[in-house]
Amino acid sequence: MASSSLMATYNRADTAFETGQGAWLFDTNGNKYLDLLSGIAVCGLGHNHPAVTHAIRDQAGRLLHTSNLYEIPLQTELANRLTNVSGMDKVFFCNSGAEANEAAIKLARLHGHNQGINTPNIIVVDSAFHGRTMATLTATGNRKAQAGFEPLVSGFIRAPYDDVEAIKSIASSTPNVVAIFVEPIQGEGGVHVPAENYLNELRSICDANNWLLMLDEVQTGNGRTGKYFAYQHNGILPDVVTTAKGLGNGVPIGACLAQGKAAEVLQPGTHGSTFGGNPLACAAALATVDTLIHDRLIERAETLGKRIIDGLEASFEGANYITDIRGKGLMIGIELNAPCSELVMLAKAKGLLINVTSDSVIRLLPPLTLTDDEADLAVDAISKLIKVYAGDDRQGQRRAKGRDSSDRRQSSEND
Ligand SMILES: Cc1ncc(COP(=O)(O)O)c(C=O)c1O
């Protein structure tokens, strides 16, 4: 592959896709793949969705970019759409998940300074993933990702995920905390679904201590978990929520939403982005959000997720090499009892695109437009693949061995 002029930041698979349609991708050799990854939770409407394609073509023929020095009516319309679906008050647009999180971090710090706290701290958690910029890398709870980039940014306090007592203990012992920042379900960290009332408890702690509750919904947002945002499963409102990935169905766009006092923190001159919320990105995102809502794809994510998890549970009943099958909506993790990154390549050879994160968790993030037949096909194909890999002949089940493959590509390294 002609990749020699590219910086070596990615372990790329030796495959290039040429076209896509719905949940299917077609490579340059004419091979067909069922895409259960959606560009890592980006193409929620699948590939080449007519509404998005039409919106992009139409907008490209009018106007691509004007800068944020002028009114951008499509940006205002998209902000209205997002505040309507989320219960938040105001939106700042940027171009990626990391940038949305940078906006949230800056907002929290400024909120602290506005209250006379000159060294504000933000609580973040183990195994979190928030991005690769310096502040979001610091917030990320993965030493491997941080190694070599020290000095990291100050002003972050680390706690275990899904541990309310640990947060209470920080509240009673640490001054100058201004916010908690967590993912409602950890994606890169291994599809960790916290206790059902985790976010409610965090909301209460934030209220009691005058902290901002900030949620990273870069991956969980835009319908993926069966609600527009995952916090809507809990009936709470965060002060700040960030999103990106699925918002533009492949056109880069990120957003930081805030409500109440947090919505008034960022004022002219405090933050900005040249490209953020430009007409092209907003046209694509409007088409995406409208299609998600009008085609009832968010409810569909919930139904499809149950169908896939039920299918996997039935298929792996009693399989001792499966540690857990978990998830919400179409964010699904299958945890094996040993590292299994090479399954990514084995699956691709069978025409199936999956991801492995945290070494031993197969992560499925299929498009929300998947048909029932495609969902059943996915369950069947994944089950067969894992059983062969684990040496499960259905008479006696053996342990999945941690094979020492040098081809551990496309694992969480590529987030
Ligand atoms: C929860 C979460 N936050 C932030 C990011 C970073 O987003 P981006 O790669 O668009 O900067 C990711 C990417 O995987 C993510 O999953």
Side-chain angles (χ1 to χ4, degrees), residues 98 101-102 105-106 109 124 130-140 146 152-154 156 158 181:
N101 290 341
E102 285 281 342
I105 292 164
K106 283 184 70 178
R109 285 184 164 200
V124 290
H130 296 298
R132 300 280 194 170
T133 61
M134 281 313 304
T136 60
L137 183 65
T138 306
T140 288
Q146 294 170 339
L152 297 173
V153 175
S154 62
F156 291 93
R158 179 99 29 216
F181 190 32

Side-chain angles (χ1 to χ4, degrees), residues 1-80:
M1 295 230 105
S3 57
S4 57
S5 317
L6 295 171
M7 283 198 194
T9 44
Y10 305 103
N11 272 324
R12 295 178 199 269
D14 194 11
T15 300
F17 300 111
E18 213 164 37
T19 56
Q21 194 60 54
W24 297 91
L25 281 169
F26 302 86
D27 73 12
T28 43
N29 297 319
N31 300 311
K32 181 178 170 180
Y33 303 83
L34 182 58
D35 182 5
L36 301 177
L37 191 55
S38 315
I40 323 186
V42 168
C43 303
L45 300 183
H47 301 284
N48 198 17
H49 192 284
V52 181
T53 305
H54 172 78
I56 294 170
R57 282 200 175 125
D58 184 58
Q59 191 56 40
R62 294 166 195 267
L63 190 65
L64 293 179
H65 180 85
T66 56
S67 92
N68 280 302
L69 296 173
Y70 306 98
E71 294 288 339
I72 302 175
L74 284 169
Q75 197 182 108
T76 310
E77 205 181 328
L78 179 61
N80 288 340

Side-chain angles (χ1 to χ4, degrees), residues 344-384:
V344 170
M345 290 302 148
L346 296 172
K348 189 163 74 65
K350 300 273 180 207
L352 211 59
L353 302 181
I354 60 167
N355 174 249
V356 170
T357 189
S358 281
D359 293 337
S360 58
V361 182
I362 299 165
R363 183 171 48 158
L364 306 180
L365 299 161
L368 282 57
T369 51
L370 209 67
T371 64
D372 286 352
D373 284 349
E374 286 165 346
D376 296 345
L377 178 66
V379 169
D380 195 46
I382 290 166
S383 299
K384 281 192 185 124

Side-chain angles (χ1 to χ4, degrees), residues 252-267:
I253 181 165
C256 174
L257 292 77
Q259 60 94 14
K261 57 186 184 297
E264 307 305 326
V265 173
L266 294 179
Q267 292 295 321

Side-chain angles (χ1 to χ4, degrees), residues 175-199:
N176 299 342
V177 173
V178 293
I180 300 179
F181 190 32
V182 296
E183 296 155 86
I185 297 173
Q186 290 188 330
E188 305 298 321
V191 194
H192 293 302
V193 185
E196 221 166 280
N197 63 348
Y198 181 54
L199 295 185

